[in-house]
Amino acid sequence: MALPNQTNLAMGPWKITVYNQENFQGRCWEFTSCCNNIIEYNLENIHSLKVECGVWVGYENSSFNGQQFVLEKGDYPCFEAYMGSHSYSVKRMMSFRPIYSACHKDSRLCVWECENMKGRQWELSGDYPSLQAMGWHSNEIGSMHVKSGAWVCYQYPGYRGYQYIMECNHHGGEYRHYRDFGTHAHTPQIQSIRRIQD
Amino acid sequence: MALPNQTNLAMGPWKITVYNQENFQGRCWEFTSCCNNIIEYNLENIHSLKVECGVWVGYENSSFNGQQFVLEKGDYPCFEAYMGSHSYSVKRMMSFRPIYSACHKDSRLCVWECENMKGRQWELSGDYPSLQAMGWHSNEIGSMHVKSGAWVCYQYPGYRGYQYIMECNHHGGEYRHYRDFGTHAHTPQIQSIRRIQD
């Protein structure tokens, strides 16, 4: 689990409200920190949610495993439609947690062509809906180092396909192989990258 | 159809290559301008594609109707997975065209709370993965005016859900009612907006 640093804590608290029916109906549960498994809260499935403070990451499976997806401030009235608009076969969100290290104004990321920080290198500090349009030579990234902030990398251009959340305070910011990108990563294919706003 | 202006023409040509099998296999077709209906090219379905020059918009139906999606430079090896990661029930792309007005460095957009440019107003010039995080008070936008560049608006935060492509050289840049957003728009719900890079 990420540990918040003092700077970011000052921006808290984090708050997400989840509902067991669509359109913010039914019973609701409020969370201000991580949820390891919704079952522990007698919540079988989340059908709508509101991110009220901070930015969060949701996971397909309990204990922060499986597909990942950024949850930014706003309303998600029909979670199934959102997920359908999202990924391959994710039907629910079983765990979620705040992203403590997001810092839009100071986000720096180094990417390398090959694993273990080898081959061509590029330092990013903005948002890149198409890495190839910005001059990156391939549709893959072999390894990366988050120097500050938090980032989300996507399999396809235009912020689509599998998501990988990269944080400066996880693994010391180092992602040396695509298997470090996430438990759902099975190729180094990454074609768009953006900063996560706090 | 949008007409290119001289500045943007200088950045052309546009080029997209589509394939009738996944992973850039099978027969291929190259396009450098708009395609009104893939059937006219004896192409039944597109299973993979490469955007090689410029930025394009794809449509679910022929004649630039139905759901819209930005296609930025890069590789789309399995179009069905990309679409599955995209929207509600889009299974194919029947028409597509270049976005001539994209101009990342000079993109300005005015949004209003109500239709016909009424109510609260806000001028945007950057990328907004969550409008609510940036201070917008609701999950809806009533009308908008693209002063320069081209933009993509999304139903949900984090650039997800229905997409609406907004261009300064369509409708004089004016979108006075959510029905002007696109033939697939059935609510004014918009929660993230970004510039389209040229």
Side-chain angles (χ1 to χ4, degrees), chain B residues 15-16 49-56 71-74 76:
Chain B
K15 186 174 166 198
I16 188 170
L49 67 88
K50 290 184 186 210
V51 175
E52 297 180 67
C53 290
V55 57
W56 297 67
L71 294 169
E72 278 146 325
K73 187 172 178 177
Y76 302 75

Side-chain angles (χ1 to χ4, degrees), chain B residues 38 58 68 99 109 143-144 148 160 164 168-169 171 173 196:
Chain B
I38 61 171
Q68 315 169 352
I99 299 177
L109 174 68
S143 50
M144 55 186 102
S148 55
R160 311 228 69 86
Y164 308 106
C168 66
N169 57 354
H171 316 286
I196 297 176

Side-chain angles (χ1 to χ4, degrees), chain B residues 30-194:
Chain B
E30 287 183 5
F31 291 86
T32 55
S33 65
C34 53
C35 170
N36 182 68
N37 190 345
I38 61 171
I39 301 294
E40 292 168 10
Y41 298 87
N42 294 317
L43 175 53
E44 285 202 359
N45 205 339
I46 293 167
H47 287 288
S48 56
L49 67 88
K50 290 184 186 210
V51 175
E52 297 180 67
C53 290
V55 57
W56 297 67
V57 49
Y59 294 86
E60 179 184 16
N61 301 326
S62 60
S63 302
F64 317 117
N65 284 310
Q67 280 198 51
Q68 315 169 352
F69 32 92
V70 177
L71 294 169
E72 278 146 325
K73 187 172 178 177
D75 299 342
Y76 302 75
C78 176
F79 201 64
E80 199 165 19
Y82 169 77
M83 296 303 257
S85 75
H86 193 286
S87 45
Y88 298 88
S89 58
V90 175
K91 287 286 174 287
R92 55 187 188 172
M93 176 169 80
M94 295 297 290
S95 56
F96 47 91
R97 62 174 177 82
I99 299 177
Y100 293 114
S101 61
C103 181
H104 187 251
K105 283 185 184 152
D106 178 24
S107 297
R108 285 176 302 123
L109 174 68
C110 253
V111 301
W112 283 268
E113 181 182 12
C114 308
E115 56 189 75
N116 290 313
M117 288 67 177
K118 288 184 179 148
R120 292 192 217 182
Q121 185 191 355
W122 191 25
E123 183 153 341
L124 287 70
S125 59
D127 295 343
Y128 302 84
S130 164
L131 293 175
Q132 287 189 57
M134 302 301 284
W136 189 246
H137 61 289
S138 91
N139 60 21
E140 297 184 345
I141 286 178
S143 50
M144 55 186 102
H145 181 196
V146 184
K147 295 189 166 179
S148 55
W151 297 74
V152 52
C153 304
Y154 297 85
Q155 184 184 12
Y156 298 124
Y159 309 132
R160 311 228 69 86
Y162 281 142
Q163 293 186 26
Y164 308 106
I165 315 299
M166 308 297 186
E167 294 155 279
C168 66
N169 57 354
H170 277 229
H171 316 286
E174 292 191 358
Y175 300 82
R176 305 184 72 86
H177 189 279
Y178 74 77
R179 284 188 297 267
D180 299 338
F181 297 174
T183 55
H184 61 307
H186 50 67
T187 75
Q189 192 174 59
I190 289 180
Q191 298 193 72
S192 50
I193 296 182
R194 66 179 177 91

Side-chain angles (χ1 to χ4, degrees), chain A:
Chain A
M1 247 314 291
L3 285 174
N5 66 39
Q6 214 165 12
T7 316
N8 285 329
L9 261 184
M11 305 185 57
W14 286 263
K15 187 175 164 196
I16 189 170
T17 307
V18 304
Y19 300 81
N20 66 351
Q21 294 183 19
E22 290 184 2
N23 292 311
F24 321 117
Q25 303 292 310
R27 289 181 61 203
C28 77
W29 287 254
E30 287 183 5
F31 291 86
T32 55
S33 64
C34 54
C35 170
N36 183 66
N37 190 344
I38 61 171
I39 301 294
E40 291 167 9
Y41 298 88
N42 295 317
L43 175 54
E44 285 201 0
N45 206 338
I46 293 167
H47 287 289
S48 56
L49 68 88
K50 289 185 188 211
V51 175
E52 299 180 65
C53 290
V55 57
W56 297 67
V57 50
Y59 294 86
E60 179 183 16
N61 301 326
S62 60
S63 302
F64 318 118
N65 284 308
Q67 280 198 51
Q68 315 169 351
F69 32 92
V70 177
L71 294 168
E72 279 146 325
K73 187 172 177 177
D75 299 342
Y76 302 75
C78 175
F79 201 65
E80 200 165 16
Y82 168 77
M83 296 303 257
S85 76
H86 193 287
S87 44
Y88 298 88
S89 58
V90 175
K91 287 286 174 289
R92 54 186 189 172
M93 175 169 79
M94 296 298 290
S95 56
F96 47 90
R97 62 174 177 81
I99 298 177
Y100 293 114
S101 61
C103 181
H104 187 252
K105 284 185 183 152
D106 178 25
S107 295
R108 285 176 303 123
L109 174 68
C110 252
V111 302
W112 284 267
E113 180 183 13
C114 308
E115 57 188 75
N116 290 312
M117 288 68 179
K118 287 184 179 148
R120 292 191 217 183
Q121 184 192 355
W122 191 25
E123 183 154 340
L124 287 70
S125 58
D127 295 343
Y128 303 84
S130 164
L131 293 176
Q132 287 189 57
M134 302 300 284
W136 189 245
H137 60 290
S138 92
N139 60 19
E140 298 184 344
I141 286 177
S143 51
M144 55 186 99
H145 181 198
V146 184
K147 295 189 167 179
S148 56
W151 297 74
V152 52
C153 303
Y154 297 85
Q155 185 185 10
Y156 299 125
Y159 308 132
R160 310 228 68 86
Y162 280 142
Q163 292 186 25
Y164 309 105
I165 315 297
M166 308 295 186
E167 294 154 279
C168 65
N169 57 354
H170 277 229
H171 316 286
E174 292 190 358
Y175 299 84
R176 305 185 70 87
H177 189 279
Y178 74 79
R179 285 188 297 267
D180 298 338
F181 297 174
T183 56
H184 60 307
H186 49 67
T187 76
Q189 191 175 59
I190 288 181
Q191 299 193 71
S192 51
I193 296 183
R194 67 180 178 89
R195 296 163 294 178
I196 297 176
Q197 292 191 355
D198 45 307

